[in-house]
Amino acid sequence: SYVTTVALPSLAVVTLQASTTEAGLVSAARWLPYLLFGLVAGVLVDRWERRRLLVCVLVLQAAALLPLLVVESVDEIGIVLAVVVVESVLGTVVEPGRAAAAVHLVPRAALVALNGAFGTLSGLARLVGGPLGGLVLALGGADAVVLADAVTFIGCAALLATGRRLPAPARAAPPRLLADWAEGMALIKASPVLRRVLGVTACTALAQGGFVVLFVLFAVRDLGVGDPEIGLLRGVQAIGAVAGGVLLGAFVR
């Protein structure tokens, strides 16, 4: 996914010669669904069997990438936007589903170590995926990026499908999206800690969203770099994420 995350803005700016506004829309399409559908996704994860849900979503993510194979000009930027939106909507299920499933597989005392491992692995994926995204885009073009990402989704689905069964959800009744969403909001409202965490997360996400778009434009138009250099510059940001994941356990203790 980091290969595609790095390659898509570069594809829009470098290959398709998209305008600043169009490049910004590609980035907004990546994150807006998390704002609109994230809480709904949490409700679904609470109600449905998580492994089966994740396998289905991962297969759909692989299939949803394929329309990018027909994009050849900036006139088809709408296809890119549609694919990014669909991928992000599906991704809102994967993030909470993965975390909720993992909690059932380790003792409670190991949750901090688990969280640190997630952070470290995410950072490593970003560290490798960033430069790899630029390199694959430069050598094989957008089609190679799309196919590589689709293969990883199918591989993840296969791993989950053959893995250990997870406990059934505690609340297996059909989801009542509005009522369950309101219940979640009430829990956040009642907790000062959750409210602060939500505020901090919103601020950092807002800054990161603007940074990603402006960074690619700055690198291409002002520095004159190509796809491999953009990927490398995006990838080295992950060094801090890797270090943070490794040190998390020690800081918590």
Side-chain angles (χ1 to χ4, degrees), residues 190-247:
S191 170
V193 173
L194 285 179
R195 291 201 308 269
R196 291 168 189 156
V197 169
L198 198 64
V200 170
T201 304
C203 290
T204 55
L206 183 65
Q208 179 68 6
F211 176 81
V212 169
V213 177
L214 294 173
F215 180 83
V216 174
L217 291 169
F218 170 67
V220 172
R221 297 182 180 177
D222 296 341
L223 302 184
V225 302
D227 295 324
E229 291 84 3
I230 292 173
L232 180 62
L233 289 168
R234 290 292 308 280
V236 297
Q237 290 179 271
I239 293 174
V242 174
V246 172
L247 295 173

Side-chain angles (χ1 to χ4, degrees), residues 170-192:
R171 306 174 67 182
R176 302 167 300 140
L177 293 181
L178 187 59
D180 290 346
W181 176 84
E183 182 182 335
M185 286 288 90
L187 287 172
I188 293 173
K189 184 178 178 181
S191 170

Side-chain angles (χ1 to χ4, degrees), residues 16-103:
L16 302 182
Q17 296 294 304
S19 67
T20 305
T21 301
E22 289 165 332
L25 285 173
V26 170
S27 182
R30 168 97 170 84
W31 298 111
L32 190 60
Y34 284 88
L35 177 64
L36 299 178
F37 298 101
L39 293 171
V40 174
V43 172
L44 298 179
V45 169
D46 273 345
R47 296 286 190 170
W48 291 347
E49 201 279 312
R50 286 157 187 161
R51 184 175 68 164
R52 187 179 304 170
L53 177 63
L54 287 172
V55 169
C56 291
V57 167
L58 287 165
V59 171
L60 288 173
Q61 283 187 292
L65 285 168
L66 300 182
L68 289 176
L69 296 175
V70 303
V71 174
E72 296 181 351
S73 73
V74 73
D75 294 333
E76 296 163 325
I77 195 73
I79 296 176
V80 177
L81 291 171
V83 169
V84 172
V85 168
V86 172
E87 289 292 335
S88 295
V89 170
L90 294 170
T92 63
V93 176
V94 173
E95 295 297 330
R98 180 181 61 186
V103 164

Side-chain angles (χ1 to χ4, degrees), residues 94-185:
V94 173
E95 295 297 330
R98 180 181 61 186
V103 164
H104 290 289
L105 302 177
V106 300
R108 185 175 179 82
L111 290 179
V112 171
L114 175 68
N115 201 36
F118 271 141
T120 301
L121 289 171
S122 178
L124 286 171
R126 185 173 171 181
L127 188 62
V128 174
L132 192 59
L135 187 62
V136 171
L137 185 60
L139 296 179
D143 289 357
V145 172
V146 170
L147 294 175
D149 199 1
V151 166
T152 61
F153 281 132
I154 296 298
C156 289
L159 286 172
L160 281 170
T162 57
R164 172 178 155 187
R165 289 186 62 84
L166 296 170
R171 306 174 67 182
R176 302 167 300 140
L177 293 181
L178 187 59
D180 290 346
W181 176 84
E183 182 182 335
M185 286 288 90

